[in-house]
Amino acid sequence: SLMGFARDPWVILPICAAIILGGLGFPVIVQLRRDGLATRLWSMNTRLVIVGTAGLLVLGTVGIAVLEWSNPATLAPMDVPGRLLVAFTQSVQTRTAGFNSVDVASMDPSTWLVMDVLMFIGGGSAGTAGGVKVTTFLVLFFIMVTEIRGDTAVNVFGKRLSRAVHRQAITVALLAVATVIAAAVWLSWITEFALDDIFFEVISAFATVGMSTGITAALPAAGQLTLVLL
């Protein structure tokens, strides 16, 4: 994939920029083109996608960098700028694109778990990204915060969310979780691979990311068909 250019910002950063742009979703891109940085004109969807994308990119970069910093098979042989660039690249790629600038199979399982979460969330609605979407994730987050605080209405950036939006987000999330778990249980039953490998493959397929720990080719036909269906 991009392992030959892992520390080349002139190749990596334009690709990452294109992926981030595509992952915002066309409604957000249209509004940014029309209204620019006039945030008071942005819709709730645009605000959620922009804030969520920025937050996930930062958290993903930090998480991958910390967990892989001393891994001799991935980041350890690189200088500090190279490590940070690779961590940022992998944070971007897990959201939808599926390129890898280091060997995914050599990463620590704890890093896979972080990437699982990023892949599962995905990008903005009505775009090229997969996952349950940033908006769904943030709606669930705000519902949780409201419940913890004991409030009666869910407010996002000063606007109240309708009950219909609550139901949609919860339904999407639960169906996605059920689909991923069912597929993982099925693959763990018909193969001998570890569960962390299987979950990575399943979530990568479900979120249309395309990354792999390297076990896809070794799966039986039923397992490969499962990934196709996901």
Side-chain angles (χ1 to χ4, degrees):
S1 192
L2 295 175
M3 290 176 63
F5 306 97
R7 287 177 282 182
D8 187 346
W10 296 103
V11 173
I12 294 296
L13 292 181
I15 293 176
C16 288
I19 293 165
I20 293 170
L21 186 64
L24 293 178
F26 295 112
V28 175
I29 294 173
V30 169
Q31 179 152 59
L32 291 176
R33 182 179 179 184
R34 183 182 66 238
D35 300 326
L37 298 179
T39 56
R40 62 184 177 81
L41 300 177
W42 288 0
S43 66
M44 184 185 295
N45 175 69
T46 297
R47 295 183 184 187
L48 286 173
V49 171
I50 295 296
V51 170
T53 297
L56 290 173
L57 285 174
V58 172
L59 291 175
T61 300
V62 172
I64 293 171
V66 169
L67 295 173
E68 292 296 317
W69 197 264
S70 301
N71 187 340
T74 55
L75 299 188
M78 304 180 186
D79 56 12
V80 172
R83 294 180 186 183
L84 294 176
L85 179 61
V86 168
F88 172 74
T89 303
Q90 294 308 128
S91 179
V92 172
Q93 307 297 344
T94 51
R95 303 288 307 292
T96 179
F99 294 116
N100 59 287
S101 55
V102 290
D103 184 10
V104 174
S106 299
M107 288 180 164
D108 190 89
S110 60
T111 309
W112 290 347
L113 185 57
V114 171
M115 295 169 70
D116 286 344
V117 173
L118 294 174
M119 290 191 294
F120 186 79
I121 295 173
S125 300
T128 60
V132 297
K133 308 303 183 187
V134 174
T135 44
T136 302
F137 173 74
L138 287 181
V139 165
L140 292 174
F141 173 79
F142 281 110
I143 291 174
M144 179 186 69
V145 170
T146 301
E147 189 65 26
I148 291 173
R149 295 175 58 182
D151 295 336
T152 56
V154 179
N155 294 297
V156 180
F157 303 129
K159 295 184 179 180
R160 183 172 179 172
L161 284 181
S162 70
R163 292 286 183 181
V165 175
H166 301 191
R167 294 194 298 269
Q168 290 170 359
I170 293 171
T171 300
V172 168
L174 289 179
L175 286 175
V177 169
T179 301
V180 167
I181 291 178
V185 170
W186 165 246
L187 290 182
S188 66
W189 185 46
I190 65 173
T191 71
E192 299 296 327
F193 292 110
L195 197 57
D196 47 9
D197 289 282
I198 289 173
F199 262 115
F200 193 94
E201 302 294 310
V202 166
I203 296 175
S204 178
F206 169 79
T208 65
V209 175
M211 280 189 182
S212 174
T213 60
I215 70 171
T216 302
L219 291 174
Q224 293 177 346
L225 181 59
T226 300
L227 297 184
V228 171
L229 293 175
L230 284 170

